[in-house]
Amino acid sequence: MTKKPYNGIYRQTLFILGKLSVPVLTTYLHLDEINTVQEINAAVVNVSGRQRMLSQRTALFALRLVCTKDKQAQEELRSGLLADLDLMERSHKGLIEGDRDLKLPGHPSPTVQSMYFAAPLNLDRQVRQYIDQARAIARSSSEELIPDNPHLCYILTESSKNLVEALDSVVNQYQKESDTEQLAIHIYQAQLYEKSCAATAQAVSQGKKLEQALQELQQAQSQLVEKEKMSNLGCLVAGVAHEINNPVSFIYGNLNYATDYIQNLLDLLKVYEEEYPKPSVVLQEKIDEIDLEFLKEDLPKVMYSMEVGAKRIHQIVRSLRNFSRSDEELIQVVDIHEGIDNTLLILQNRLKAHGDNEGIEIVKEYSNLPLIECYSGQINQVLMNLIGNAIDELENLSSDVCSYPKKIKISTEFCHSGTIILRIADNGQGMTEDVKARLFEPFFTTKPVGKGTGLGLSISYQIVVEKHQGSIECISQPGEGTEFIIEIPVVQRQQEEITNELESVA
Ligand SMILES: Nc1ncnc2c1ncn2[C@@H]1O[C@H](COP(=O)(O)OP(=O)(O)OP(=O)(O)O)[C@@H](O)[C@H]1O
Ligand SMILES: [Mg+2]
């Protein structure tokens, strides 16, 4: 058997542990080797301690043997003494050379070796002599078993002085070495644990970075898809807008003439009435039939709303064209309340009661607002989309479900941070979380084919957030109605300013 120092086992264990250079938790939990070292240490300390106990017990057996006259008791003591001495001898050998069954590795450390084999202790010699002397007593004839038997004297002296002191010293040394090794193991375990924690933290942070990179990639991808869709939509919209533009221009261009002609006719009518204050029966019947008084009063209003409507169509067409060529329209300074009122005027027909439909009440809560800089045509388009959606929602509610008056509340507010807030709230059915999550997706609609294209909100989002650096938010729950909140800055910054700022941040 190759000779190795006792703590070679410990070193070997550390070597095995050290070889596992990846500091993961399993390394830290590499308990087999650690347990073995602990077991060996415990066995060595126990057996060396037991040697002390055996030296005392054998001395006691020897003394009793000498004092006992009873033959049978003598025999029992002799065999007890011999058994203890065999064990003592085996343990002693095991401590020095190793003993698998006793879990003794042998190969004591240089310090322990010098205790066994060098002065002043020479423990190996002491133990052997002691065992020899004790065996000699065990084998003495009954006659020789007298109190001043020289073997007995030797044993009693040694067991109370030299031998016991030497055994104590070696037990202490074994204990010390064991403690040092345990400490080293604990320190090593702690270091491994620390390393494994650091490695785990590193792995977690790398995982997070990877996750973030993946998210950014997904975002970039969806933006690309979105841009592609929007540019296709832009082409479509530009084509439609171009087609509508001409007929709208006819209407819009001729409305002034129509208003003038109608005014002329009304003036003429007035002159007729003055010249012929008493109309004929036939004429009077016709006047009553067409309700001339109401007609005269309402016609200019009708003409005005047609003009506002045509103007709005004209603007919408322009902003639709700008949707594809967004740099065409110029920023204007406008009164947002005027924009809301005009939108309501155009939508008037859908708000009024007719047939079974009891109509929708508009509640306005306007604050004092400054004029704001914006692409007014586009902001009007947003208003049209949001109010249009609210009307769609309320129109849909049958009177069986809806026992309350249908309302759209429009409120405005000025924030001293330099923005205005516009709220458009309806008391409709509200939306589910699923619908809310997809609101601003292009082409997302819950309306029947032909009724909704699902573009209103995605366009509005683009106009408010991207074109005006504002925000658009939706608060809605099933059964609780819906509120859209838009915030836009009063002053629009130039695009180059924003680009420069973004570049400096990057
Ligand atoms: N006020 C609201 N109340 C309830 N649901 C709404 C409201 N506004 C929008 N929605 C929901 O959001 C969906 C998307 O709205 P969006 O305006 O983008 O498209 P749309 O109205 O369906 O079609 P389009 O506006 O293109 O005619 C609607 O189909 C509807 O389900
Ligand atoms: Mg819509």
Side-chain angles (χ1 to χ4, degrees):
M1 194 161 77
T2 17
K3 284 241 169 194
K4 274 190 203 151
Y6 161 66
N7 58 11
I9 288 183
Y10 167 63
R11 283 212 205 100
Q12 204 179 359
T13 308
L14 288 194
F15 176 70
I16 296 166
L17 291 174
K19 274 193 117 177
L20 297 166
S21 54
V22 185
V24 289
L25 265 176
T26 48
T27 311
Y28 162 65
L29 295 172
H30 211 77
L31 289 175
D32 283 356
E33 284 82 355
I34 289 166
N35 282 342
T36 311
V37 173
Q38 278 172 343
E39 257 178 47
I40 289 168
N41 279 337
V44 170
V45 172
N46 277 345
V47 172
S48 65
R50 196 173 62 191
Q51 289 294 74
R52 186 191 193 282
M53 181 276 289
L54 286 172
S55 73
Q56 301 301 292
R57 201 163 70 177
T58 46
L60 187 70
F61 279 169
L63 192 61
R64 280 220 229 135
L65 186 60
V66 170
C67 300
T68 306
K69 296 294 165 225
D70 181 68
K71 288 274 177 220
Q72 198 189 336
Q74 266 185 2
E75 281 318 302
E76 277 168 15
L77 284 166
R78 275 182 212 278
S79 65
L81 183 55
L82 285 170
D84 275 2
L85 290 170
D86 286 350
L87 182 57
M88 200 171 162
E89 188 175 39
R90 182 180 164 190
S91 305
H92 179 66
K93 240 174 114 186
L95 284 168
I96 295 169
E97 292 169 15
D99 184 319
R100 186 178 288 268
D101 294 339
L102 293 178
K103 290 193 174 146
L104 297 174
H107 322 303
S109 71
T111 314
V112 175
Q113 286 214 30
S114 74
M115 293 170 102
Y116 277 124
F117 300 109
L121 295 187
N122 278 317
L123 182 61
D124 178 57
R125 200 172 64 208
Q126 284 197 62
V127 171
R128 286 174 196 282
Q129 279 178 1
Y130 182 86
I131 292 171
D132 286 348
Q133 295 291 325
R135 279 200 178 121
I137 291 197
R139 289 181 188 129
S140 297
S141 64
S142 302
E143 293 71 40
E144 287 168 322
L145 293 178
I146 49 169
D148 48 358
N149 178 310
H151 305 303
L152 180 66
C153 293
Y154 179 87
I155 285 170
L156 293 179
T157 321
E158 289 299 305
S159 66
S160 63
K161 194 147 171 43
N162 296 345
L163 179 65
V164 82
E165 278 171 11
L167 284 172
D168 278 347
S169 308
V170 89
V171 171
N172 283 344
Q173 181 59 28
Y174 276 135
Q175 183 69 56
K176 223 157 76 188
E177 286 175 8
S178 161
D179 289 350
T180 313
E181 282 187 1
Q182 292 308 321
L183 185 67
I185 288 176
H186 288 148
I187 291 172
Y188 188 71
Q189 275 179 294
Q191 282 169 349
L192 279 180
Y193 180 64
E194 220 172 83
K195 274 191 195 165
S196 72
C197 285
T200 311
Q202 200 185 355
V204 168
S205 104
Q206 270 171 356
K208 270 190 191 150
K209 273 188 202 155
L210 216 69
E211 204 176 304
Q212 198 183 340
L214 191 71
Q215 253 177 23
E216 279 167 14
L217 208 71
Q218 276 171 344
Q219 243 171 30
Q221 198 186 14
S222 64
Q223 270 170 13
L224 271 177
V225 173
E226 206 65 20
K227 273 203 178 125
E228 173 72 17
K229 271 195 219 160
M230 288 322 254
S231 96
N232 287 344
L233 177 72
C235 293
L236 178 79
V237 162
V240 174
H242 181 76
E243 291 306 316
I244 297 175
N245 195 36
N246 286 344
V248 165
S249 298
F250 302 152
I251 298 171
Y252 188 60
N254 285 322
L255 262 175
N256 278 343
Y257 298 116
T259 310
D260 285 352
Y261 296 160
I262 283 167
Q263 196 52 54
N264 288 344
L265 285 173
L266 288 174
D267 290 347
L268 180 68
L269 200 63
K270 201 172 162 206
V271 176
Y272 263 112
E273 280 172 346
E274 282 165 8
E275 290 297 315
Y276 300 102
K278 293 233 170 293
S280 67
V281 176
V282 179
L283 256 176
Q284 189 56 51
E285 272 174 13
K286 197 65 193 168
I287 289 169
D288 292 342
E289 190 191 317
I290 64 170
D291 196 352
L292 185 59
E293 276 318 300
F294 175 78
L295 190 150
K296 281 194 290 185
E297 197 191 308
D298 204 39
L299 194 52
K301 288 186 196 165
V302 169
M303 290 310 291
Y304 177 70
S305 23
M306 281 169 68
E307 192 183 326
V308 171
K311 209 170 170 180
R312 176 60 49 81
I313 297 172
H314 190 63
Q315 276 176 344
I316 290 170
V317 166
R318 262 181 56 198
S319 71
L320 282 178
R321 290 168 76 193
N322 291 344
F323 183 71
S324 51
R325 285 171 289 139
S326 51
D327 51 0
E328 211 178 64
E329 198 188 355
L330 291 175
I331 288 182
Q332 289 167 338
V333 179
V334 298
D335 176 357
I336 198 84
H337 293 148
E338 227 173 72
I340 302 171
D341 290 343
N342 285 342
T343 309
L344 289 171
L345 198 72
I346 290 177
L347 293 168
Q348 192 56 40
N349 187 42
R350 297 185 61 199
L351 296 167
K352 276 192 303 205
H354 41 77
D356 279 352
N357 195 331
E358 74 278 23
I360 298 166
E361 185 191 347
I362 297 288
V363 181
K364 293 184 202 170
E365 283 182 6
Y366 291 172
S367 302
N368 251 342
L369 289 188
L371 297 179
I372 67 158
E373 284 182 5
C374 65
Y375 297 95
S376 64
Q378 296 188 13
I379 292 294
N380 288 341
Q381 196 181 338
V382 172
L383 296 170
M384 182 75 100
N385 281 332
L386 295 185
I387 301 173
N389 277 349
I391 296 174
D392 283 349
E393 169 64 18
L394 294 172
E395 267 178 351
N396 256 347
L397 296 181
S398 72
S399 41
D400 327 340
V401 182
C402 180
S403 53
Y404 48 82
K406 298 173 180 177
K407 271 187 200 168
I408 297 175
K409 189 168 130 188
I410 303 173
S411 53
T412 58
E413 190 187 320
F414 173 59
C415 285
H416 290 281
S417 56
T419 59
I420 60 145
I421 295 179
L422 170 69
R423 293 187 164 83
I424 297 173
D426 64 62
N427 58 351
Q429 288 283 278
M431 318 169 196
T432 61
E433 280 302 313
D434 288 351
V435 171
K436 222 165 77 175
R438 303 188 57 193
L439 269 189
F440 298 107
E441 258 178 45
F443 305 107
F444 171 74
T445 181
T446 55
K447 295 170 191 172
V449 181
K451 180 95 172 90
T453 61
L455 283 170
L457 287 177
S458 75
I459 292 174
S460 303
Y461 182 91
Q462 215 190 26
I463 292 173
V464 173
V465 179
E466 287 167 27
K467 215 58 208 295
H468 291 84
Q469 286 78 52
S471 66
I472 181 164
E473 192 195 333
C474 172
I475 300 174
S476 183
Q477 267 180 34
E480 299 283 313
T482 298
E483 181 177 34
F484 279 91
I485 305 171
I486 291 177
E487 184 165 6
I488 30 180
V490 173
V491 178
Q492 285 297 313
R493 289 183 302 157
Q494 292 305 308
Q495 195 55 46
E496 307 104 75
E497 221 181 290
I498 298 160
T499 318
N500 288 345
E501 194 177 293
L502 287 176
E503 275 170 5
S504 73
V505 170

